[in-house]
Each structure stands twice: as structure tokens, then as C-alpha cells.
Amino acid sequence: MKKPIISDLYPQPGVSLPASAGDRLELMQTFVRIVEAGNLSAAAQQLGTTQPTISRRLQALEKSLGMKLLQRSTHSMRLTDDGERCFARAKELLAGWAAFESDLRGAREEPEGMLRVVAPHAFGQERLVRPLADYLQRYPRMKVEWLLHDDSAAQDFIAAGIDCAIQVGEVTDSSLVAIKLAEVPRIVVASPALLAGGPIPQTPAELAGLPWLALRTYYRHEIRLRRVDGEEEARLPIEPRLSTDSLYALRSAALMGLGVGVGSAWVMTEDLAAGRLIQLTPDWQAAPLPVSLVYPYSRFYPARLRGFVEVMRAALPDAIRD
């Protein structure tokens, strides 16, 4: 029969245990991070320390509790039954402690530390840097890792140590909190050279004979257009000459006259104004794409994340305007 946990709170011969409750919390935090990261090396990287340090913390926690929490081999790691219970309770304990500290600090809590954010390439380079700068100016004790990936839905938030992501398109992962920030209008564009002086197509049917470009993240072999002033919808099958996952590449290909493309209106604004691109079917557009800020569920969200959400909610409607 296992000893009661409370009896193991005192040092035993040859065992070096933490000196304070704060150290115990640090061991719990390390254990939770190991489990969520999947291995000791990833946990060490996320916590900014070494694998031997992480291993020593795990051993100290196991000796302190008098139980084995993880079974490790060269290529795998799994929780023991005691480890499963400890992991669940440790997360509750840490969340409760963080909420307690937050309640005490209240409005005086100043965000500090590192925030790791994933954003789409085009959006993250052109329209989100200004709100990001506002965030850093508002909270001078903060640092941000600004990671650009077009498929943020494929990110493993916990393993990569990501705090949140800006995601364009529908959020399908039910394990994430999704805060809708805005919607991005999408329009049909082409180079004047592609039309060769002919009339500008006004209806989806008139697009059928033109070569197409596909933004494969959102459409590949069919495009759906909706009438701006009503609910009427048209489906147009396409055989794209070029498929890409880059909005910038789509715009460049359209400028070179390679085909018709559908893209975010804000990306096309300057080229439309300069006459380098033409908007086709102006009364018909693709459905707008939602822009959401997403992050994993938790019982407590740190001030650095709450502050970022606040800044982005205020800034995004203006950031996507033409």
C-alpha cells in the first residue's frame, strides 16, 4: 500500500526536495509541461532550460510524492495510473493558483514575458504588424514570437508552445476557443491583358471560358459566388492552370495574366486602383472568410494573452478594410 502523500512531504535520506511551496508549484508546472509537450526535450526547450534539469525536476517530484508518474523508454513515454491522476490534479491546482494570483492583482496585473503567435503569411506581414506594434507599445514588458504559417489549423499548440493563432477560415477544432474578429471580403480579379480588350464579365456564367488560378487553401476545382444584394448563389467548376497556397503568389500570377483568381479584397486594393487588375463580376463575390483568434481551452488565461485578444479585437475591423 502506498504511503499517504502527506507523509512524503518531508525529506528522506539521499533525497533533495524543494524548500518551499513555490518550488513545489514549479515542479508541478514542469511535470504538466512534460506531459503536454510529449517528451523531456520539448519541455526543456519550451521552458528555456536543459533536459537534465527537466529530468531532475521530474525525479524530485516523483520522490516527493512517493510514486512513479511516467514510464519512459528510449523511444516512448507514458503516464502511469498515478501519473494520470497527478496530471489531472496538477492542472487544476496550477489553474486555481494562477486564477488566485490574477484575482489578487486585478487591474494592476501587467502582462510580461513571451507570447508565441501564429498568423497567416500575407495577413501577418501586411495587416497585423501594426496591431502587433500597438500591443508591444502598450505592454513594454512583453516580447512576441511572430510565426507565419498559412495553415495554422495544423499547429499543435501545446507541443509547439504556441499561445494563440490568427486563423482565416472556419475553425473546425472543437478543442480551441475561437473569437471571431472580423470577416475578409473576397473578390474575383484578373489582369486587363487576360481580357484582351473584351467586355468585363458581369455574371458567373461569363467566367466559364476563362483560365483560372486556384487558392487551394479555400478552393480548388469549384468556386462559389454569391450575389452581393441577395442570397442567390452560383457554382462554377474550374480546371485551374495554377494552384497555390499563397495569396501573394495568386496575386502575382493574376497580374501576369495567367488567369482569373479569387482573393481577399484588401490584397488587391492597390492593384485595382492602379488599373493593374480589374474586378470581374462586381455584383458577385465569394463568401467572406471569418478571421478568428484561437487558443486552447483553459480555466485561466494569462494577462499576456488577454491583453493580446483585447488589442486584436479592437484593431482587426480596420485592418481588413480596403
Side-chain angles (χ1 to χ4, degrees), residues 249-309:
L250 179 89
R251 181 183 65 182
S252 296
L255 286 167
M256 294 175 186
L258 296 181
V260 178
V262 172
S264 302
W266 65 266
V267 177
M268 313 299 178
T269 300
E270 291 184 7
D271 294 312
L272 290 170
R276 294 185 292 266
L277 290 176
I278 298 173
Q279 182 177 353
L280 313 186
T281 61
D283 292 332
W284 295 78
Q285 296 184 4
L289 293 174
V291 181
S292 304
L293 195 150
V294 300
Y295 46 87
Y297 278 100
S298 176
R299 292 182 59 183
F300 170 77
Y301 301 106
R304 63 180 183 274
L305 176 58
R306 299 198 305 269
F308 187 75
V309 171

Side-chain angles (χ1 to χ4, degrees), residues 8-186:
D8 292 324
L9 295 179
Y10 299 95
Q12 297 177 23
V15 177
S16 177
L17 293 179
S20 69
D23 292 330
R24 295 291 178 84
L25 285 173
E26 182 180 24
L27 295 187
M28 287 292 186
Q29 288 170 334
T30 299
F31 171 61
V32 169
R33 185 58 62 93
I34 291 169
V35 176
E36 292 179 338
N39 58 66
L40 272 65
S41 296
Q45 184 176 10
Q46 293 175 20
L47 292 172
T49 186
T50 64
Q51 181 174 335
T53 298
I54 295 297
S55 181
R56 284 194 296 270
R57 291 180 188 174
L58 175 61
Q59 291 172 13
L61 180 63
E62 290 179 328
K63 290 176 181 178
S64 173
L65 298 176
M67 57 185 65
K68 192 72 173 175
L69 301 177
L70 290 173
Q71 292 287 357
R72 288 186 288 158
S73 65
T74 305
H75 303 293
S76 66
M77 180 189 80
R78 68 177 182 83
L79 286 165
T80 64
D81 290 343
D82 289 328
E84 291 277 4
R85 290 194 296 272
C86 182
F87 178 60
R89 294 298 299 275
K91 288 203 298 183
E92 292 179 3
L93 173 65
L94 294 172
W97 181 259
F100 169 70
E101 287 187 321
S102 180
D103 288 342
L104 289 181
R105 291 171 181 166
R108 295 174 299 171
E109 183 180 18
E110 169 123 12
E112 63 177 313
M114 178 68 72
L115 187 76
R116 304 188 80 233
V117 184
V118 173
H121 272 97
F123 218 33
Q125 289 181 57
E126 289 200 19
R127 294 300 172 105
L128 296 180
V129 174
R130 179 70 262 172
L132 173 62
D134 292 342
Y135 173 76
L136 289 170
Q137 289 165 1
R138 182 180 299 185
Y139 304 115
R141 297 165 65 182
M142 280 302 306
K143 298 177 183 178
V144 173
E145 285 191 26
W146 194 241
L147 309 173
L148 300 183
H149 299 282
D150 284 327
D151 191 6
S152 61
Q155 298 295 319
D156 186 332
F157 283 73
I158 301 301
I162 295 168
D163 293 288
C164 63
I166 305 293
Q167 185 171 322
V168 179
E170 295 296 333
V171 179
T172 58
D173 190 341
S174 61
S175 69
L176 298 175
V177 177
I179 298 177
K180 186 175 179 180
L181 302 174
E183 287 188 335
V184 177
R186 293 189 296 160

